[in-house]
Amino acid sequence: MALRIDYTNMLAGAVSGGIPADAWAAAERDFAATHAAVKKLQGTGALGFLDLPRDKTLHDRSRDFAKAARGKFDDLVLLGIGGSALGPIALHAALNARDWNTLTKKERRGRPRFHVLDNVDPGTIAHVMGRVDLARTLFIVISKSGGTAETMAQYLIVRGALNEALGAKAGEHLVFVTDPEKGALRDIARQEGIAAVDIPPNVGGRFSVLSPVGILPAALLGVRTTPLLAGAADMARRCRAATLRENPGAVFGVLQWLADVHLHRGLHVLMPYSDPLRDVSDWFVQLWAESLGKHRAPDDAGVGPTPIASHGATDQHSQVQLFMEGTPNKTVSFIQVGEHPVDVAIPKLHQDVPELAYLGGHHLGELIDIERRATAGALARRGRPNLTIHLEHADEWHLGALIMLLEVATVYAGQLYGVNALNQPGVELGKQFTYAMLGRADAGAARREWETLPKPDPDASV
Ligand code: PA5
């Protein structure tokens, strides 16, 4: 079992537009200070996500709930948004069959179908609510704060439907994943005796996938959560190293930061050459964007990279032209899977047709990897920095390691950018304006500020 980052193509020695040797050497020398700052942050208890892989009590709580729920439900509907949805989606997509909801119950090993409501588009919710049998459905409501408008609106809709259909038994079809003390969901759980599983107070939304936020739905869907957490624990251990070259999370964070500040390459593409890992990119986009895009402490300047989700080999026919020849403001991080659980041989047919003949006799696992290598090589040849994260398999262990790698990288990058990677003050004003327009009682100040905004100008409309 191994996860390895090959960053040859990030450095100027290999790629003309890469990170200069003296900048990399300085980063290695200066790493002691960054490492100490992250260690200090951990000492304050702020990095609760690092402890999740070893929290057996928390893990058991999810497993016990899943065990007790086994066989009772045909559908599992997740209500949540942002970090409360992207992690669970990525785990399910990576570790369960792609067409899960079309499998028979036997093929799903008795586990429920899975639906995620991570938006408030009325069509989606109406569709899902119209399709499930409420008497055979479990709704998992995930919200760290326990009060996010989108999730609470979904909850109210679901609760209304459950009350109407099942009366006093409505609560048996709900489980909350939320803060152990605070928030509306916790209060409702207490008052009504609804099952609730804790998100540790020091674990924020986008760092919560290895808490019950990701682990409870995964366990309900039959994912092997023990190796997932073991892979994460192994990576957390590796990321304690005080030498930059030995610390994979720090290497990823430092390289991306150097590319941004030295090379003005602040657009960071994550491109798994793997269908199961496709949704890991969306999860990473939220992690990298919401953690790093903010005002820097000393001078209040807006800083931070822009993450981009991509998917190989598919997006070779969509985005790669831009990566190859567009504005040189990007890095590309590939994810390679060493061994696929199944491989498919390409038959030797049409041997007289040159456009097809060369493919025959190869395997698709070989083809997808050759395409990744070819793209990485072509980018390098054009002076475009890139790296590859190699996973031996796209299994639970390696996915846990990959998640932890990117979470730790985010914390290191936060230190280097001079921002607090753990908060999200920039989304607050939009939230307050929403509350104001919906008439929330405590949103008076936001309502007054909203009213001072420029009104739509008819001359600026077409
Ligand atoms: O990373 C974060 O903290 C956010 O993106 C949250 O996950 C998102 O806003 C949802 O918040 P909550 O889980 O409190 O409903």
Side-chain angles (χ1 to χ4, degrees):
M1 288 192 275
L3 182 154
R4 186 171 61 79
I5 305 177
D6 176 353
Y7 54 94
T8 312
N9 287 350
M10 289 295 286
L11 304 177
V15 171
S16 58
I19 294 161
D22 56 345
W24 179 238
E28 287 197 87
R29 276 196 309 276
D30 297 345
F31 182 64
T34 318
H35 183 267
V38 169
K39 210 168 163 191
K40 192 170 163 204
L41 199 58
Q42 188 181 2
T44 67
L47 304 181
F49 74 90
L50 287 170
D51 304 324
L52 293 171
R54 301 231 172 266
D55 192 334
K56 190 174 173 317
T57 312
L58 200 63
H59 187 195
D60 284 348
R61 178 79 181 96
S62 291
R63 283 201 299 197
D64 292 347
F65 185 92
K67 205 167 155 194
R70 191 124 184 234
K72 288 189 190 160
F73 303 105
D74 296 329
D75 288 277
L76 173 66
V77 182
L78 185 154
L79 317 183
I81 196 163
S84 294
L86 289 159
I89 292 171
L91 293 186
H92 175 62
L95 301 170
N96 278 330
R98 187 186 170 100
D99 55 353
W100 180 257
N101 285 358
T102 65
L103 300 182
T104 63
K105 194 167 177 176
K106 193 168 167 216
E107 286 168 330
R108 286 185 270 113
R109 305 179 312 281
R111 275 26 184 250
R113 288 176 289 263
F114 187 44
H115 317 269
V116 179
L117 296 179
D118 63 348
N119 200 353
V120 283
D121 187 306
T124 312
I125 296 175
H127 179 75
V128 170
M129 293 304 282
R131 287 198 54 95
V132 298
D133 172 4
L134 293 177
R136 296 282 306 163
T137 301
L138 177 66
F139 292 88
I140 175 166
V141 188
I142 307 185
S143 176
K144 174 69 196 297
S145 61
T148 299
E150 295 87 345
T151 309
M152 293 307 107
Q154 292 162 348
Y155 165 70
L156 291 170
I157 291 163
V158 163
R159 188 65 201 263
L162 284 174
N163 286 352
E164 201 178 316
L166 306 175
K169 289 194 176 301
E172 294 170 22
H173 293 257
L174 288 163
V175 55
F176 298 162
V177 181
T178 192
D179 187 272
E181 296 295 332
K182 294 189 282 194
L185 278 184
R186 177 58 61 184
D187 292 343
I188 296 168
R190 275 200 203 103
Q191 282 158 19
E192 301 193 27
I194 291 171
V197 184
D198 297 350
I199 308 172
N202 60 351
V203 175
R206 56 194 174 276
F207 291 88
S208 67
V209 53
L210 299 174
S211 81
V213 169
I215 296 298
L216 179 57
L220 286 161
L221 294 166
V223 165
R224 297 183 318 136
T225 50
T226 301
L228 180 78
L229 293 171
D234 186 67
M235 181 54 70
R237 177 192 58 74
R238 290 177 68 189
C239 291
R240 283 202 289 271
T243 305
L244 177 56
R245 281 171 189 265
E246 291 168 13
N247 184 327
V251 163
F252 187 92
V254 169
L255 286 170
Q256 302 301 337
W257 171 76
L258 283 173
D260 189 358
V261 299
H262 280 271
L263 310 172
H264 307 292
R265 292 180 180 276
L267 273 61
H268 296 164
V269 179
L270 188 67
M271 191 169 189
Y273 272 63
S274 153
D275 285 344
L277 298 180
R278 187 179 188 149
D279 291 320
V280 169
S281 293
D282 285 342
W283 168 81
F284 169 75
V285 164
Q286 189 224 6
L287 179 70
W288 206 242
E290 202 168 38
S291 302
L292 303 177
K294 45 193 68 153
H295 287 163
R296 183 169 59 195
D299 56 1
D300 213 28
V303 297
T306 302
I308 297 174
S310 189
H311 178 218
T314 309
D315 287 332
Q316 288 184 195
H317 300 267
S318 164
Q319 298 165 309
V320 165
Q321 167 63 35
L322 170 74
F323 303 162
M324 206 68 78
E325 293 186 347
T327 313
N329 54 4
K330 300 168 200 71
T331 65
V332 181
S333 297
F334 299 103
I335 301 178
Q336 182 237 353
V337 176
E339 279 183 41
H340 299 266
V342 285
D343 208 343
V344 179
I346 305 171
K348 285 191 177 191
L349 299 172
H350 296 293
Q351 289 295 293
D352 52 339
V353 182
E355 293 90 337
L356 276 67
Y358 72 98
L359 292 167
H362 292 286
H363 285 74
L364 289 183
E366 184 190 1
L367 177 61
I368 197 168
D369 193 45
I370 285 176
E371 294 212 20
R372 177 197 57 77
R373 285 163 52 203
T375 307
L379 284 169
R381 171 53 63 91
R382 295 280 172 92
R384 312 254 158 169
N386 62 86
L387 61 79
T388 299
I389 303 171
H390 297 273
L391 311 186
E392 217 168 285
H393 304 275
D395 60 7
E396 293 85 350
W397 193 94
H398 290 86
L399 182 61
L402 177 65
I403 285 169
M404 185 56 79
L405 165 84
L406 295 171
E407 288 182 341
V408 172
T410 305
V411 171
Y412 273 103
Q415 281 300 320
L416 294 163
Y417 277 107
V419 300
N420 177 354
L422 307 171
N423 66 5
Q424 53 283 330
V427 296
E428 196 50 37
L429 185 58
K431 274 192 197 172
Q432 291 300 328
F433 283 163
T434 303
Y435 297 153
M437 283 186 269
L438 288 170
R440 193 167 134 160
D442 57 0
R447 201 167 305 121
R448 285 188 291 283
E449 189 172 349
W450 174 253
E451 274 151 19
T452 66
L453 289 182
K455 300 282 171 283
D457 176 356
D459 289 338
S461 165
V462 63

